[in-house]
C-alpha cells in the first residue's frame, strides 16, 4: 500500500481553501485498499524577514521519509521549495497542486511573480512527477512549461437522503473573510438596503447596514442550515481558483451569483442555477442578484460532477501511474 503525504502551510483560519482541500483528500482515502494518506501535520517553522517563514528541516525530512508519494500544496511559500528538494533527495514521487492565482490578482503581484519564477518554477519543472490543476486558467499556465498536468475539480460528499431545502424568499448569503479585499464584500454595499435579508458568514467588520446579520466561527451544521435556507449565495470575489461555497450552495438547491473571476464556472456550462457578473460592475451585480435569487438549480448534475466517488477515481489513476 502506497503512502501519500500532504504538505501545506499551517492554515490561518477555518475557511482556508488549501487546508479544506488537504483534509478532504485525506478523508477520501480513509480505508482505501491501495493508498493511505498520512496524517496532516503542522511542521515547526522559523520566522524570516525575507520569506516570512521556513520549515525546520528535521521534522519535515522525517515526515517525507515515511511517504511514497509527496503531495505539495501552495505556491507562495519557501516551505514548498524545501519540500521539493527533500522529496527529490529521498527519491520520492512528487505531486504538486499550486492552488494557483494569476499574479495580477495577488496582493503583491510583483513579489509573488518573482518568488514563483525564481524559487519554485525550476523545482516544479525538474522534480514534479505530476501537477494537479483545478481550473482551465491554471491548466493552461502550467502546461506552458510542463506536460504532466491533470485537471481535477474539488469535490463534496453529498447526502443523498437529505430533505428538500426550505427556502426563505429574500435570504442572501455570503461566505468568506469580511475584511479581505479579495472577497469583494463592497458589492453587497451597493444592494438596496432592506430589499434582502443578508447573512454574512466570516470574521471581520460587519457592514453598517440594518439588513446584515453576521455569523462568526459557526459549526458546519449551522453553515449547512444557512445554505439550505438561503435563496441565493453571492461570490463577488476578485479571484477564486475554485469555490467550495458554490458547490455547497448549489447542492442544497441554492443558486449562485459569482464574478467572472470565480473559476468553478469552468465546470458549470449548461447547468441551471447560477449567473455571472462583471467584477466591480455594481449595476450588473444588482441585476444578476435580482434575476437569479430563488431560481431553480440542477442539483443532480452538480452532484454528478463534484461527487467524491467520481473525483477519487481520477486521483487513484494519477497516483497509480507514478
Amino acid at each position: 500500500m502506497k503512502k501519500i503525504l500532504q504538505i501545506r502551510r499551517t492554515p490561518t483560519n477555518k475557511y482556508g481553501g488549501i487546508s479544506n482541500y488537504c483534509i478532504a483528500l485525506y478523508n477520501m482515502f480513509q480505508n482505501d485498499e491501495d493508498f493511505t494518506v498520512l496524517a496532516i501535520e503542522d511542521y515547526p517553522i522559523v520566522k524570516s524577514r525575507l520569506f516570512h517563514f521556513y520549515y525546520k528541516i528535521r521534522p519535515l525530512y522525517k515526515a517525507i521519509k515515511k511517504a511514497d508519494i509527496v503531495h505539495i500544496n501552495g505556491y507562495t511559500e519557501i516551505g514548498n521549495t524545501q519540500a521539493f528538494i527533500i522529496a527529490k533527495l529521498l527519491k520520492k514521487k512528487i505531486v504538486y497542486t499550486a492552488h494557483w492565482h494569476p499574479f495580477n490578482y495577488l496582493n503583491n503581484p510583483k513579489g509573488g511573480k518573482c518568488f514563483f519564477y525564481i524559487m519554485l518554477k525550476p523545482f516544479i519543472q525538474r522534480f514534479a512527477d505530476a501537477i494537479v490543476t483545478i481550473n482551465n486558467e491554471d491548466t493552461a499556465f502550467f502546461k506552458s512549461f510542463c506536460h504532466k498536468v491533470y485537471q481535477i475539480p474539488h469535490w463534496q460528499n453529498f447526502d443523498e437522503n437529505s430533505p428538500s431545502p426550505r427556502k426563505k424568499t429574500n435570504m442572501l448569503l455570503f461566505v468568506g473573510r469580511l475584511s479581505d479585499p479579495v472577497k469583494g464584500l463592497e458589492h453587497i454595499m451597493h444592494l438596496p438596503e432592506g430589499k434582502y435579508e443578508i447573512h454574512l458568514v466570516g470574521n471581520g467588520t460587519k457592514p453598517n447596514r440594518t439588513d446584515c446579520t453576521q455569523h462568526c466561527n459557526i459549526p458546519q451544521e449551522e453553515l449547512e442550515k444557512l445554505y439550505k435556507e438561503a435563496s441565493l449565495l453571492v461570490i463577488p470575489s476578485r479571484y477564486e481558483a475554485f469555490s467550495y461555497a458554490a458547490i455547497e450552495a448549489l447542492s442544497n438547491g441554492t443558486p449562485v451569483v459569482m464574478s467572472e473571476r470565480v473559476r468553478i464556472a469552468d465546470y458549470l456550462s449548461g447547468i441551471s442555477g447560477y449567473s455571472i457578473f462583471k467584477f466591480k460592475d455594481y449595476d450588473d451585480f444588482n441585476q444578476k442578484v435580482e434575476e437569479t435569487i430563488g431560481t431553480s438549480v440542477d442539483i443532480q448534475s452538480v452532484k454528478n460532477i463534484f461527487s467524491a466517488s467520481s473525483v477519487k477515481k481520477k486521483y487513484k489513476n494519477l497516483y497509480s501511474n507514478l
Side-chain angles (χ1 to χ4, degrees):
M1 179 177 286
K2 291 185 178 180
K3 297 178 181 177
I4 303 167
L5 177 68
Q6 294 282 333
I7 294 179
R8 56 93 177 102
R9 184 178 184 177
T10 301
T12 56
N13 67 80
K14 66 183 295 184
Y15 298 110
I18 295 178
S19 178
N20 288 341
Y21 166 84
C22 292
I23 292 170
L25 195 58
Y26 171 83
N27 291 332
M28 175 185 284
F29 280 91
Q30 294 303 295
N31 303 315
D32 187 81
E33 60 184 14
D34 300 309
F35 300 95
T36 183
V37 178
L38 301 174
I40 301 170
E41 298 183 45
D42 296 332
Y43 304 107
I45 63 171
V46 177
K47 291 185 178 180
S48 165
R49 288 186 178 181
L50 182 60
F51 297 117
H52 300 296
F53 80 95
Y54 57 88
Y55 291 124
K56 291 184 178 180
I57 297 298
R58 187 180 295 274
L60 186 62
Y61 180 93
K62 289 175 65 177
I64 291 176
K65 191 174 182 180
K66 299 175 184 176
D68 300 300
I69 300 169
V70 180
H71 193 153
I72 302 170
N73 295 273
Y75 83 114
T76 56
E77 289 88 29
I78 194 67
N80 290 334
T81 306
Q82 293 176 281
F84 267 110
I85 294 171
I86 294 171
K88 187 65 177 180
L89 288 173
L90 291 173
K91 299 181 179 179
K92 307 297 184 179
K93 296 296 183 179
I94 301 173
V95 177
Y96 175 62
T97 302
H99 307 269
W100 186 71
H101 286 54
F103 301 115
N104 56 308
Y105 295 143
L106 298 176
N107 290 330
N108 182 359
K110 290 183 179 179
K113 188 173 185 178
C114 288
F115 177 88
F116 179 84
Y117 280 103
I118 295 172
M119 301 302 301
L120 198 51
K121 181 182 174 183
F123 300 97
I124 297 171
Q125 286 181 297
R126 294 179 61 190
F127 299 161
D129 294 288
I131 294 175
V132 176
T133 58
I134 54 176
N135 61 55
N136 297 346
E137 195 166 17
D138 64 337
T139 297
F141 175 78
F142 283 100
K143 277 191 173 180
S144 68
F145 60 85
C146 184
H147 298 297
K148 301 166 288 187
V149 179
Y150 303 84
Q151 184 169 329
I152 305 175
H154 290 328
W155 63 95
Q156 287 285 328
N157 291 301
F158 300 114
D159 182 2
E160 299 297 337
N161 298 316
S162 61
S164 299
R166 300 180 66 179
K167 301 296 183 186
K168 293 184 177 179
T169 304
N170 286 322
M171 180 177 167
L172 185 151
L173 184 63
F174 170 95
V175 179
R177 299 177 296 276
L178 274 58
S179 57
D180 188 344
V182 172
K183 299 302 180 182
L185 184 65
E186 70 274 10
H187 290 78
I188 289 176
M189 299 299 291
H190 287 80
L191 291 171
E193 188 163 358
K195 185 174 183 177
Y196 305 105
E197 178 186 335
I198 302 172
H199 290 257
L200 309 172
V201 179
N203 296 325
T205 303
K206 183 177 80 69
N208 185 24
R209 292 174 59 117
T210 58
D211 53 2
C212 287
T213 301
Q214 185 177 9
H215 307 264
C216 298
N217 303 317
I218 61 175
Q220 184 64 30
E221 294 78 13
E222 187 173 341
L223 179 58
E224 284 289 331
K225 183 173 181 291
L226 291 172
Y227 279 125
K228 290 181 183 299
E229 292 178 341
S231 290
L232 183 71
L233 173 76
V234 294
I235 312 175
S237 299
R238 186 172 73 196
Y239 189 83
E240 295 283 351
F242 197 73
S243 176
Y244 279 111
I247 301 178
E248 291 171 338
L250 293 169
S251 66
N252 279 295
T254 303
V256 178
V257 166
M258 65 184 86
S259 81
E260 84 279 21
R261 300 174 179 181
V262 180
R263 302 313 315 162
I264 192 175
D266 294 344
Y267 297 93
L268 298 177
S269 179
I271 293 177
S272 63
Y274 76 99
S275 296
I276 294 175
F277 73 95
K278 186 176 181 181
F279 182 73
K280 290 271 188 180
D281 186 334
Y282 303 120
D283 289 338
D284 191 25
F285 173 70
N286 283 2
Q287 181 177 341
K288 291 302 193 302
V289 167
E290 186 171 350
E291 292 174 351
T292 310
I293 190 167
T295 57
S296 62
V297 177
D298 186 355
I299 299 175
Q300 192 56 54
S301 292
V302 171
K303 292 182 176 181
N304 290 342
I305 295 170
F306 302 112
S307 70
S309 59
S310 64
V311 172
K312 183 178 180 180
K313 291 177 183 178
K314 297 179 181 180
Y315 275 101
K316 291 196 70 168
N317 179 64
L318 187 160
Y319 291 143
S320 297
N321 290 325
L322 293 178

